[in-house]
Amino acid sequence: MAATEHETVFTYGAPALKYGTGSSDEIGYDLTQYGVHRVLVVTDPQVAATGWPRRIADGIAGYGIEAEVFDGVHVEPTDVSMQKAVDFARGTGPYDAFVAVGGGSAIDTAKAANLLTSNDGELMDYVNAPVGGGRAPDRPLKPLVAVPTTTGTGSESTTVCVLDVLSLRVKSGISHLRLRPTLAVVDPRLTISQPAGVTAASGMDILCHAAESYTAKPYTEFERKRPEQRVPYCGANPLADMFAEQSLRLLSWALPAAVRDGDDLKAREAMALAATFAGLGFGNAGVHIPHANAYPIAGQVRDFHPDGYPGEEPMVPHGMAVSLTAPAAFRFTFDAAPDRHLRVARLLAPDFEWPGDFADHLPAVLIDLMRQIGIPDGIGAVGYTESDVDSLVEGTLKQQRLLATAPREASTDDLSGILRESVSLW
């Protein structure tokens, strides 16, 4: 086989899915289908305060399954916070299954606890290289039921677990097919408690999942892989495209509506469905430059405190961090796939008053939406200046798994230009 032969195969994977109002009431029954007797429910203090995790645990117990609750998840998890969950699971286990109730932070923490109670080694052994050891799990994981309470991360569908490595001030992750949840239970009732700021940030995460996967490097442009070389992110492909397009259609009206009125159940249902569709798409196609930039933006935060999130520690929520460089990133990638960038813009805002330059259409739509829903005005509004750009670029360059999926290769100077252009957006 010639080294330059192009790929002809794409792969697709997804969890079993149960969507709809009331679906979380059936988790106890669902777990009986896996033959489990003891489960760990993983959540964070804010979600625990809503009562939903305890209600779900009680429902599980109603089917004769012992359910322990760990409510110590850290929003925007770190290696330290994930280790606490792993230690809890190791100390109180063994467990036959895990149930994550919360946003991406809870689901990702449950993935880590599942990984490290099913396999030998420590957390950093499995974190993606070059940050960690990049080790693959040797043994299968236990069943994981993911129950999202935020509409955005898509973690209920993906093979990825994201965390901050505090000692290195960098955000990285663990990526392997075995991390994908067994079952995603998407009950829109659980998302109504999201504050407007959380809805806006997580909604931009959905949008960028869909837009980045739709504009990703096509799977046919990668070099041909051997079977053992295949990775979850295989590039834009027909199945992922279908999910991304439907997600963008829903977001066009549901995201502004859900931010305006958190009790709008129709908008919440559409947001939950949009998040699910986007997760089913990007979990296979991949994401690229906005997500790669987001990791150092979140990891190097100094003193920004976003509305709607726990106030004790500074943070840039993941979806917000992704969105801040998206306009400039999509302007940079436009020439690689003009029709796809224009398609994203028109799905999001069919009646928009378009600027003259086609390359500005998607950035203009994104900036208009970000202003409507209260996203900060660029990375400058979350505490960064042009003097921070070199450090941010250094962090972005560590995300080679994501940069490899970009439709246009980005050099150090290109990434620097995108970040400088993103200091202020309007």
Side-chain angles (χ1 to χ4, degrees):
M1 183 177 70
T4 56
E5 186 178 346
H6 280 186
E7 187 60 82
T8 61
V9 174
F10 72 86
T11 56
Y12 188 82
L17 172 66
K18 181 173 281 192
Y19 167 89
T21 299
S23 57
S24 62
D25 295 335
E26 301 180 4
I27 292 172
Y29 170 79
D30 296 328
L31 287 168
T32 66
Q33 306 308 293
Y34 304 118
V36 307
H37 304 285
R38 193 161 188 264
V39 304
L40 181 62
V41 177
V42 178
T43 190
D44 68 61
Q46 291 73 35
V47 174
T50 69
W52 280 110
R54 175 46 57 191
R55 175 173 170 169
I56 288 169
D58 290 346
I60 292 169
Y63 281 84
I65 300 170
E66 183 182 348
E68 182 80 36
V69 177
F70 172 77
D71 64 2
V73 167
H74 187 280
V75 177
E76 301 293 332
T78 68
D79 52 341
V80 174
S81 75
M82 282 190 170
Q83 189 61 50
K84 288 179 181 176
V86 169
D87 291 344
F88 183 91
R90 285 173 169 171
T92 59
Y95 295 98
D96 304 312
F98 292 81
V99 177
V101 184
S105 299
I107 298 171
D108 285 2
T109 299
K111 289 176 181 177
N114 193 3
L115 172 67
L116 289 165
T117 54
S118 304
N119 286 265
D120 299 328
E122 299 304 326
L123 192 64
M124 289 304 294
D125 295 336
Y126 295 93
V127 171
N128 297 330
V131 177
R135 176 176 166 181
D138 299 315
R139 294 191 288 275
L141 277 62
K142 303 293 194 302
L144 168 59
V145 178
V147 191
T149 61
T150 60
T151 44
T153 70
S155 186
E156 69 276 6
S157 300
T158 70
T159 61
V160 179
C161 156
V162 178
L163 68 156
D164 281 303
V165 180
L166 292 180
S167 61
L168 301 177
R169 296 194 72 217
V170 67
K171 211 174 188 79
S172 188
I174 302 171
S175 177
H176 194 274
L177 289 169
R178 287 180 173 169
L179 266 63
R180 194 189 310 275
T182 313
L183 171 65
V185 177
V186 183
D187 187 338
R189 295 178 305 173
L190 276 64
T191 70
I192 289 175
S193 62
Q194 283 184 103
V198 177
T199 301
S202 57
M204 289 304 298
D205 199 17
I206 306 173
L207 189 158
C208 289
H209 286 154
E212 288 174 60
S213 68
Y214 195 72
T215 59
K217 183 176 178 178
Y219 78 97
T220 52
E221 293 184 10
F222 287 90
E223 286 189 11
R224 184 69 181 262
K225 296 179 179 66
R226 297 190 302 274
E228 68 275 12
Q229 293 176 317
R230 299 205 180 280
V231 293
Y233 284 3
C234 65
N237 63 77
L239 271 177
D241 289 350
M242 176 181 68
F243 286 119
E245 287 191 347
Q246 187 58 18
S247 178
L248 293 165
R249 285 190 190 96
L250 290 166
L251 288 171
S252 67
W253 66 269
L255 177 50
V259 173
R260 275 195 310 269
D261 179 6
D263 293 324
D264 183 339
L265 187 57
K266 183 179 178 183
R268 290 293 194 190
E269 289 174 343
M271 288 287 289
L273 202 53
T276 302
F277 285 152
L280 293 170
F282 94 87
N284 294 276
V287 288
H288 54 85
I289 295 172
H291 268 75
N293 286 336
Y295 285 174
I297 291 169
Q300 297 178 30
V301 63
R302 289 188 284 265
D303 55 12
F304 182 72
H305 293 269
D307 292 339
Y309 287 84
E312 303 82 25
E313 299 173 19
M315 65 182 295
V316 182
H318 173 68
M320 181 184 291
V322 169
S323 70
L324 295 177
T325 66
F330 286 122
R331 189 176 288 112
F332 169 78
T333 57
F334 177 82
D335 287 342
D339 289 348
R340 284 181 171 256
H341 287 70
L342 293 173
R343 175 74 169 151
V344 171
R346 281 152 180 73
L347 286 168
L348 283 171
D351 301 321
F352 196 75
E353 187 174 325
W354 303 108
D357 187 342
F358 284 163
D360 287 331
H361 285 201
L362 181 52
V365 167
L366 294 177
I367 288 170
D368 181 67
L369 177 60
M370 291 163 70
R371 295 183 74 169
Q372 282 186 56
I373 64 176
I375 298 293
D377 177 14
I379 63 173
V382 299
Y384 295 105
T385 67
E386 289 210 10
S387 65
D388 297 306
V389 166
D390 288 348
S391 177
L392 293 172
V393 169
E394 183 181 350
T396 298
L397 288 169
K398 292 178 180 176
Q399 315 305 324
Q400 289 299 317
R401 182 179 61 88
L402 306 184
L403 293 174
T405 316
R408 179 182 172 192
E409 187 174 347
S411 67
T412 299
D413 286 345
D414 293 329
L415 294 170
S416 177
I418 290 168
L419 285 156
R420 288 181 196 283
E421 191 177 327
S422 302
V423 172
S424 178
L425 298 175
W426 57 80

